[in-house]
Amino acid sequence: MANRPSARWRARVDEETTEVAAGTRAPSDAFMSELFPESLLVATDEALRAFELAVEALRGQDDNEAFEAIKRVVLMLNEINEDHDGAGYETQEREELCLYIDHTLMEHGIDVSALAARRGISRTEITDDWRDW
């Protein structure tokens, strides 16, 4: 199963917190909890879990259902990003989220390249119609 980016981000926050507590990192050098506040982590994790469930429920290779699942998660992530002043997902996080969507679809038997090609787009564009982040 694809690792949720939110889990990796949480691990980075936790690692930094441990370093500060151990005295191996100065509090003034700690910024992960600002980049990834708990509200962002929780909301992102919930959105990605909902996407996983939607993809698991897909029957066959129905393109419309697959794109509806993609659309729903992207719109949820748009809202989360907006709730965090439009700065919840920076370049690296955006790339991680897009890769996660791609990998989750593939893990559930969806040929993402073929899905995208049938829409006349590349696999890297499957979120573009709805993505604001």
Side-chain angles (χ1 to χ4, degrees):
M1 185 157 141
N3 292 326
R4 293 181 198 152
S6 50
R8 287 192 301 276
W9 305 336
R10 182 178 300 284
R12 291 167 56 194
V13 170
D14 292 346
E15 179 181 347
E16 185 177 80
T17 300
T18 300
E19 291 171 353
V20 169
T24 58
R25 178 183 296 263
S28 60
D29 292 333
F31 56 88
M32 287 294 163
S33 62
E34 289 178 34
L35 287 176
F36 304 110
E38 186 66 17
S39 58
L40 177 78
L41 295 173
V42 169
T44 302
D45 199 53
E46 289 173 0
L48 298 181
R49 178 66 182 141
F51 176 67
E52 292 166 5
L53 292 172
V55 172
E56 286 173 12
L58 291 177
R59 302 291 181 241
Q61 295 290 325
D62 184 273
D63 289 3
N64 290 331
E65 289 180 21
F67 274 105
E68 272 302 311
I70 295 166
K71 178 182 177 180
R72 279 192 305 273
V73 72
V74 169
L75 293 177
M76 285 190 284
L77 294 170
N78 285 348
E79 188 173 321
I80 295 163
N81 192 56
E82 186 60 33
D83 289 346
H84 292 85
D85 299 322
Y89 308 125
E90 298 297 335
T91 301
Q92 180 176 339
E93 292 77 34
R94 291 189 295 265
E95 291 174 4
E96 289 179 53
L97 289 166
C98 288
L99 280 173
Y100 170 82
I101 290 168
D102 185 287
H103 289 153
T104 299
L105 292 165
M106 286 187 334
E107 287 177 354
H108 288 86
I110 296 171
D111 182 338
V112 179
S113 292
L115 175 72
R118 289 189 293 272
R119 281 263 171 116
I121 60 175
S122 74
R123 77 184 298 153
T124 60
E125 297 174 302
I126 63 171
T127 63
D128 288 359
D129 282 350
W130 312 284
R131 187 164 62 90
D132 293 333
W133 35 273

